[in-house]
Amino acid sequence: VQLVESGGDSVQAGGSLRLTCVVSGYTQSTLYMGWFRQAPGKGREGVAAIGRDGLTHYADSVKGRFTISKDNNQNTAYLQMDNLKPGDTAMYYCAAGLVAASWALAHFDPHDFRYWGQGTQVTVSS
């Protein structure tokens, strides 16, 4: 399974970006998807997740600003990011897994995600 992210860029505060994650080597409808981020000097942080059933979860820091979605026909997941803040600056990683229940994705446990992309950089300036 390969995950390839794209869409990262440098934007000003208040701007928007849409990150894309293309999945290959597996049927996406059988996977749940998540987005994590890691800022310099900080640990990896779960941002958003979507279960096979479409149930979504968000970190408190991004609720109301970020939206996760997936298109099983295109084997693609998205993270729409609006009203970006400098604190959103980080490398963003797409992840996918098979075994966790949708309700459990709210914990954003990286161990629930077996497959990871290489990351795409998002930089937000004030």
Side-chain angles (χ1 to χ4, degrees), residues 41-113:
K42 295 188 177 181
R44 186 167 40 185
E45 173 190 22
V47 175
I50 184 166
R52 285 178 289 262
D53 56 3
L55 182 66
T56 58
H57 304 283
Y58 297 94
D60 288 342
S61 58
V62 306
K63 278 181 183 176
R65 301 189 298 120
F66 289 13
T67 304
I68 187 171
S69 61
K70 62 189 179 81
D71 183 339
N72 290 335
N73 292 329
Q74 299 294 325
N75 263 16
T76 302
Y78 303 96
L79 183 68
Q80 177 67 40
M81 305 187 296
D82 298 317
N83 190 21
L84 283 160
K85 302 177 180 181
D88 295 319
T89 295
M91 184 71 79
Y92 283 71
Y93 298 91
C94 176
L98 290 165
V99 299
S102 289
W103 60 265
L105 300 180
H107 300 298
F108 294 110
D109 184 346
H111 295 98
D112 286 334
F113 295 85

